């Protein structure tokens, strides 16, 4: 299933507020409901493994209360050790 990507028509200029957020359950086979523009760790720091909007698989260390600003289409359970993740949707 292909997810919608808010970056497709942005021209690289993203402005404005994030209208909604959602709790993330890492899953190796299911995309987020739509491409997130960022992820926040509200729990324990660790790694967040994800598939970027560009299709790259990335593992990134994230601190508690840190926001990672990046187009994210899927958060992987394999490799994700950070807890209580929230996605920001544009």
């Amino acid at each position: 299933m292909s997810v919608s990507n808010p970056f497709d028509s942005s021209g690289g200029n993203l402005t404005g507020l994030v209208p909604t957020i959602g709790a993330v359950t890492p899953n190796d086979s299911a995309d987020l409901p739509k491409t997130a523009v960022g992820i926040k760790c509200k729990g324990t720091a660790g790694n967040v493994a994800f598939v970027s909007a560009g299709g790259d698989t990335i593992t990134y260390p994230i601190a508690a209360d840190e926001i990672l600003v990046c187009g994210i289409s899927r958060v992987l359970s394999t490799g994700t050790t950070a807890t209580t993740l929230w996605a920001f949707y544009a």
Side-chain angles (χ1 to χ4, degrees):
M1 178 175 102
S2 178
V3 296
S4 65
N5 184 347
F7 298 102
D8 281 343
S9 62
S10 69
N13 182 17
L14 298 176
T15 59
L17 299 174
V18 175
T20 191
I21 63 172
V24 172
T25 301
N27 187 312
D28 287 340
S29 59
D31 289 335
L32 295 172
K34 62 182 186 175
T35 301
V37 297
I39 293 281
K40 181 167 185 162
C41 174
K42 287 298 293 175
T44 304
N47 288 327
V48 59
F50 62 93
V51 178
S52 72
D56 299 312
T57 299
I58 299 167
T59 300
Y60 190 85
I62 191 167
D65 288 323
E66 179 179 0
I67 297 173
L68 171 61
V69 178
C70 180
I72 298 170
S73 60
R74 180 181 297 178
V75 177
L76 303 169
S77 56
T78 302
T80 296
T81 58
T83 63
T84 316
L85 300 172
W86 287 84
F88 294 86
Y89 299 110

